[in-house]
Each structure stands twice: as C-alpha cells, then as structure tokens.
Amino acid sequence: MFTGSIPALVTPFRNGKFDEVVFRAHVDRMIEGGSSALVPCGTTGESATMTIEEHNYVMAVCIDQTKGRVPVIAGCGSNDTKVSLAHLRHAAKAGAAAGLVVLPYYNKPSQEGLYAHYSYLAENSPIPILIYNVPGRTSSDISVETLARLSRLPAIVGMKDASGHIERVSAQRLACGSDFCQLSGNDDMALAFNAMGGVGCISVTANVAPKLSADFQKACAENRYQDALALQDRLYPLHSALFSDSSPAPVKYALSRLYSDFSPELRLPLVQPSDHSKALVDAALSHARLI
C-alpha cells in the first residue's frame, strides 16, 4: 500500500506558533523531490507538544497542501486509546489515506494490552492503520507474535519499524505475510531493511534531502543495490548527524541552513542542538553536496 521515501515531516514554529506558510512550502518541496507519501504529526513533527486542536489543524493543512498528489499517513498515536481513535476519525474526515499509531507510551502495556489497544482501533477506525514500533521512545516493544495476530485484522496494513532489530524484518515477513507493509523507521538501516523485504522508509533525512532519499528508495525497489549503496554512502553522515542530539533539533537546524525562512525553533522541553551536533550536521550537508 505504501512504498518508497516517506518524510516524517517537521512542524515549523515561529514565536511559538505554527508557521503555516513555511510548512506548506515544505510539503511542496517534499513532493517535488519525489516523496511517495507524507507523515505529519509524528515524533519528528513534535506532536507531543501540540494541543489536539493544533495537531488536527497541522494534519488538515498537510492534506490540503498535497492536493491529492501523494497519500498522507497522519500521525494518530496517543497513550490513550480513545484519543488515538479521535485522531483517526479526524484524519479520515480531513482526507488522510491512513493513520500511523505509535505504541502507547508511558503506560507500558503488556502484549495482551497492545493487542487490545490496536484491535479496538482496528474495529473502529474509518481508515487503515500502520503500527509504529519505537521502543527507544515508548518503553514498549511489540513482539512478532502479537504483530502477527494484529496483521490478520483487515484495518492493520503495515508498520513503521524503528526497533533497531534488523532481523525482525524477516521474522515479521514470515509471520505477517509478504503483503504486510514494512517501512523502516531508521534511515541508517534502510538499505539492509529493504534487502530483507522492506518496501520503504518513513524518513527524517528526507526532510533535508528529499530527492536523494527518493532516488535511494527507487534504486532499492529496482534491485539496483550498487546505486543504492552509493547513495547510502553519500547520505550516511547525514543519517547519523540528524540524531546527534535530541530529534528533531538537528533536522530543524539543517533546514535552517538550507532555507533562510525556516526557523530552527523547537518547543520545550526540546532545545537547540549542541555546537558539536551543529558541526556534524554542517559536515554532513557538505558531504551530501547539499551546501
């Protein structure tokens, strides 16, 4: 259902407010660069520090600006199942193709609790759901067995896997079937992820290098792995640098280096990246020949 390079969009702020003009221009850049879908209001979009009204508005602006050119996978996660369902319903009304639902954070549900959470959403959601597994942020991790049970529900169509366990791509493929959409949540692992059966990446780096990220995914899809490796080598320092401090601080700094109207502003408790992180980003942008 979803393949290729899919930017996990940053949300630009200026003086504490959502910068809609800059965001709309950013959406256009992502599409013009060859992105195959967009994800607003995810972790990279600082959804954790948005009000529900802001969350829904940013989602709607993204869908409006795409004008049907690419599908939108709206961030709809919450540690409250009913809030997540409310996000899914709003996303459907706004025209999203699917919802990306992160594992409930802080609560630390059991595997049975995770199944109950996602099965409830699957039964009630008006749009398809992709599960987002990122244990480093949620302190929860979905097992291959639980994922296999959920994959049998028609509304659960795939996942963003940021577990960091590359071997799971094969295990999940065997357990869930080859039609279950596996998208990498780690840019630095996307080459191996695709070689093992993945079909794309929900990417932070694509915010900064949309065309290179799209070209990389296209090379993988066409089994041109020597071309993909060359692009991996060009992009790898950027993949690393963008996580050299708390994300999305480095990626917002990178965008401010590329575009004069893009503010690196973040919402507390996030702050600007360290000088060391900035130096790594600058070097990586140069290595990728973006500056």
Side-chain angles (χ1 to χ4, degrees):
M1 180 176 288
F2 302 105
T3 61
S5 177
I6 304 172
L9 298 173
V10 296
T11 305
F13 299 116
R14 190 173 295 277
N15 300 320
K17 305 280 188 175
F18 168 51
D19 193 334
E20 183 174 335
V21 172
V22 167
F23 183 69
R24 286 182 180 272
H26 188 60
V27 167
D28 285 342
R29 275 196 297 270
M30 297 301 99
I31 297 171
E32 290 160 8
S35 303
S36 55
L38 301 176
V39 176
C41 301
T43 304
T44 310
E46 295 176 78
S47 59
T49 48
M50 286 186 204
T51 67
I52 288 179
E53 292 76 20
E54 283 178 314
H55 185 123
N56 290 341
Y57 186 70
V58 170
M59 185 193 304
V61 168
C62 179
I63 293 165
D64 177 69
Q65 191 63 25
T66 63
K67 297 177 173 61
R69 290 174 287 173
V70 297
V72 172
I73 306 166
C76 292
S78 174
N79 66 333
D80 181 330
T81 304
K82 291 188 177 179
V83 170
S84 189
L85 179 58
H87 283 319
L88 286 162
R89 286 174 171 164
H90 179 87
K93 186 181 291 187
L100 181 67
V101 179
V102 70
L103 267 66
Y105 39 87
Y106 189 74
N107 310 56
K108 296 185 74 172
S110 65
Q111 292 300 309
E112 203 56 42
L114 291 174
Y115 182 81
H117 173 75
Y118 283 107
S119 60
Y120 177 86
L121 295 176
E123 289 167 10
N124 292 282
S125 174
I127 53 176
I129 293 168
L130 285 89
I131 293 170
Y132 176 19
N133 190 27
V134 55
R137 285 192 180 267
T138 65
S139 296
S140 294
D141 188 5
I142 193 166
S143 70
V144 174
E145 294 75 19
T146 302
L147 191 67
R149 290 173 67 196
L150 289 167
S151 72
R152 300 182 190 111
L153 304 177
I156 306 290
V157 298
M159 76 178 305
K160 173 184 177 181
D161 188 343
S163 68
H165 295 287
I166 196 68
E167 73 281 359
R168 287 195 187 175
V169 185
S170 291
Q172 289 162 174
R173 182 177 168 86
L174 292 171
C176 302
S178 59
D179 291 336
F180 188 72
C181 174
Q182 291 196 70
L183 301 168
S184 176
N186 298 98
D187 282 292
D188 57 352
M189 294 184 179
L191 182 62
F193 195 97
N194 287 344
M196 294 178 73
V199 294
C201 181
I202 296 181
S203 167
V204 174
T205 299
N207 283 279
V208 180
K211 186 177 187 306
L212 291 175
S213 298
D215 288 349
F216 166 80
Q217 288 294 335
K218 188 171 188 289
C220 290
E222 294 174 354
N223 292 315
R224 291 185 288 108
Y225 276 95
Q226 284 303 312
D227 294 337
L229 182 59
L231 286 163
Q232 168 83 349
D233 288 345
R234 184 172 171 185
L235 287 170
Y236 181 79
L238 193 56
H239 297 333
S240 178
L242 294 182
F243 285 88
S244 59
D245 210 326
S246 297
S247 183
V251 68
K252 281 193 160 182
Y253 169 72
L255 287 165
S256 76
R257 294 279 284 115
L258 296 177
Y259 306 104
S260 59
D261 62 343
F262 204 106
S263 169
E265 184 177 326
L266 300 137
R267 283 190 171 167
L268 292 173
L270 295 180
V271 296
Q272 291 301 306
S274 67
D275 289 343
H276 176 67
S277 176
K278 289 178 179 179
L280 290 173
V281 170
D282 288 340
L285 289 172
S286 178
H287 179 85
R289 301 192 291 279
L290 295 171
I291 58 172

